[in-house]
Each structure stands twice: as structure tokens, then as C-alpha cells.
Amino acid sequence: TMLPLLLLLLPAAHGIARVPDTPKLTEDPRVEGLTTGTTFVLEQPRCFFQDYGDAVIWLVVALDEATSTFNDSAGPGTPETAFQGFPSPVRAYMTLNATLGSYPCPKPDGEITVLRVGSETSCARDATRPTCNGPLPGPGPYRVKFLALQGSEPVADTDWSSPIMLRTAKSPDSISTTGSGHSAGMIAITTILSILFAILLAALVAMLVFWGSDSCGGSSTFSKPEAVTVRRYNTHHVYDQPAA
């Protein structure tokens, strides 16, 4: 029963203030691809850290089970928080740093104010950019929070978000070919239409062959042969003559 209380007191022990806001996925209907196989889209932390004007705001992305052990004092760009080591041995990394000037409060009307986490591919394997906003390596679940630093000192943070799951592609073996009556009906209709088309095509070819042979026969003229009469002749010298 003492562990949850100690976890709540830990930020205060480090001098970190907890702001009353929690990161969440955007609800803006104009944003497509809220979650993909490697990214998700958050609302920007508008009006979260207005009491820390000179602070730099960082996004912390962690595995769900690593939130309770994340060290706020680790600092961005260190081996302990480098994206290139995520998810093992690094269990949480820091990325998308911005000053409060990037997050004006209140939010301008009509403006899309989101952060796409996981959108950079060029730096995913570049060890010289440990704060890369690289593609997420698996479906999750992940949890995120915003952390305000003044210099290298953490001064304020938000609660961790709810678990975030990414999309996963279906295995071909898991796709049923018989579970949908609609798809089975379409297959049957397609088969019947293919057979009827083949029959129609065969009939058409047969008709063309018949008409071709008939037209060739009509162009020839045949005359009925006349009867041949053979007259019979008696040659006298071949008969036996009576004795003289």
C-alpha cells in the first residue's frame, strides 16, 4: 500500500511540479491516420506549462511497463534516453523538444495543433541524433508524458497518458475466405458469369465459321453433268462366219 504513495511523492522529492493535464490522442477530425503501424498523433501541450516561460518541453515515450521506473533526471540525448536504443535496453526515450513559443495559449481558431510521434525515418539509425522522432518499433502499448526542463533541470511534468496501441497488419492465414456470405456470393456470381461468357464466345465463333463456309460455297457454280449415251456397234468381223 505504500508503493503508490511513494510513486506520487517521487516528483515532489526531485522538485518537479505536476501540471493538471494529461497527453491524449488528437480528436481533430481533419487529421488522418490517428494511429498507423509506426506512428500516432497527439494533441500539442497548449496551456500546460505557462508558469515555466523559459522551459523546454520534451515528449517522453515509454513502454507501458516502464513508466514507473523512468528517471526524469536522465536528460535528453543521453545513452539512457536515446531513441536508437529503444525498446531495449532503453525503455523510454525523449524527443520533440520545443519552447513554449511553439505552443501558444490559447490555441488559435481553426489551426491544427498536433504532434505526429514516429514520423522521422532518416535519423532512426543515426546515433548522432539520439532525440530522433523515429518510427515506433512495434504495436505497443506505449504511454507518453510531457516534461519541462529549465536547462538540464526537470521542473514540471504531466501525468502519463492512457496506453496507446498501434495498428497491426492481419496475417494472411487469419483472413477467412468462407466467413462472409457476401464474398462467397460474389465468387459464385463471378464463376457463373465466366461460364456463360465462355459459352457465348464459343457460339459466336461457331456462327462465324458457319457463315464463312456458307459464303464460300455460294460463290462456286456447279453444273449437273449431262447424261452420256453410248451407242452399241456390232462389228461383223468378230462373229463366226458360216462355213462356205
Side-chain angles (χ1 to χ4, degrees):
T1 57
M2 293 297 295
L3 182 59
L5 179 60
L6 290 174
L7 292 177
L8 290 174
L9 293 176
L10 187 60
H14 287 282
I16 300 176
R18 178 63 50 80
V19 299
D21 292 286
T22 304
K24 62 179 181 179
L25 296 177
T26 183
E27 297 177 354
D28 193 325
R30 297 171 296 176
V31 177
E32 297 182 358
L34 181 62
T35 59
T36 67
T38 57
T39 70
F40 57 87
V41 184
L42 295 173
E43 285 284 353
Q44 292 180 359
R46 300 294 179 107
C47 308
F48 282 20
F49 300 98
Q50 297 311 299
D51 295 333
Y52 306 91
D54 57 345
V56 176
I57 313 304
W58 288 85
L59 176 70
V60 183
V61 182
L63 298 176
D64 183 31
E65 64 271 18
T67 56
S68 61
T69 59
F70 176 72
N71 180 9
D72 291 315
S73 300
T78 63
E80 191 177 349
T81 61
F83 169 80
Q84 287 75 20
F86 186 77
S88 179
V90 174
R91 311 293 281 170
Y93 67 95
M94 298 176 68
T95 187
L96 291 176
N97 58 307
T99 62
L100 284 180
S102 299
Y103 302 133
C105 178
K107 169 185 170 181
D109 292 337
E111 186 174 324
I112 298 177
T113 55
V114 297
L115 298 173
R116 183 172 289 277
V117 181
S119 61
E120 294 184 72
T121 58
S122 60
C123 58
R125 299 182 181 275
D126 186 356
T128 65
R129 295 185 59 190
T131 60
C132 175
N133 179 30
L136 293 159
Y142 303 102
R143 296 176 72 182
V144 300
K145 75 172 183 176
F146 291 103
L147 177 65
L149 301 181
Q150 288 180 334
S152 60
E153 187 71 21
V155 293
D157 68 351
T158 67
D159 273 324
W160 290 98
S161 70
S162 299
I164 299 171
M165 291 293 299
L166 303 186
R167 294 180 180 273
T168 55
K170 286 186 176 181
S171 169
D173 295 336
S174 66
I175 301 175
S176 173
T177 58
T178 60
S180 172
H182 178 72
S183 60
M186 290 298 294
I187 293 173
I189 292 174
T190 303
T191 303
I192 293 173
L193 289 177
S194 299
I195 295 173
L196 291 177
F197 178 77
I199 294 173
L200 179 62
L201 183 62
L204 181 61
V205 171
M207 291 177 64
L208 289 175
V209 171
F210 175 77
W211 287 342
S213 61
D214 185 61
S215 60
C216 290
S219 61
S220 300
T221 302
F222 294 94
S223 57
K224 183 178 180 181
E226 294 181 359
V228 178
T229 304
V230 178
R231 299 184 64 184
R232 185 175 181 180
Y233 293 90
N234 292 327
T235 54
H236 298 281
H237 67 278
V238 297
Y239 287 93
D240 293 335
Q241 297 296 325

